[in-house]
Amino acid sequence: MIIFPMVIVFSLIAFVYFKVFQSRGYGPAQRQLYGAKASISLGIFVLSFGVNAYINYQTTTAAVIGLIFTALGAANIYFGSRQHRHFSPLAKEEKQQTA
C-alpha cells in the first residue's frame, strides 16, 4: 500500500514545520500550541509507521513492534489534542493582546 508511506512522509514534514514555528512563536501559549500540533503530527507518524510495519511484515515481531508503535502514536495524538484544546483559546487571546 502506498498510502502509509505517504502519510509517514507528510506527518514527518508537518512535525518539522511545527517544531520550527514553535521556536518562532511570539508568546508562551503560541509556542505551546505549536508544540501540541507537533505532538499530534509525531503521533500520526508513529501510528502510521506501526500500522505499516504490521501490514508489510506479517511476523510476530512486526506485530509486537506495530502494536507498541500504534499505542504510542495513539497516546501522542490523544494528549496532543488535549493540549491543543487547552492552549488554543489562550493563544488566540495572546494574539489579540499583541495586535
Side-chain angles (χ1 to χ4, degrees), residues 67-89:
L67 285 174
I68 291 171
F69 277 21
T70 302
L72 288 174
N76 243 2
I77 292 170
Y78 175 72
F79 289 115
S81 64
R82 285 185 60 197
Q83 193 176 17
H84 184 273
R85 271 188 307 217
H86 176 74
F87 285 109
S88 183

Side-chain angles (χ1 to χ4, degrees), residues 17-26 30-31 34-35:
Y17 175 81
F18 289 129
K19 276 300 189 181
V20 167
F21 270 89
Q22 182 181 5
S23 66
R24 293 178 159 191
Y26 50 81
Q30 185 70 28
R31 288 189 188 107
Y34 281 124

Side-chain angles (χ1 to χ4, degrees), residues 2 6 18 24 26 46 49 64-65 76 80 82 92 95:
I2 192 79
M6 287 175 39
F18 289 129
R24 293 178 159 191
Y26 50 81
V46 172
F49 191 81
V64 171
I65 299 297
N76 243 2
R82 285 185 60 197
K92 287 180 184 176
K95 187 176 182 178

Side-chain angles (χ1 to χ4, degrees), residues 1-6 52 55-56:
M1 289 194 112
I2 192 79
I3 190 79
F4 287 112
M6 287 175 39
N52 187 42
I55 289 174
N56 287 337

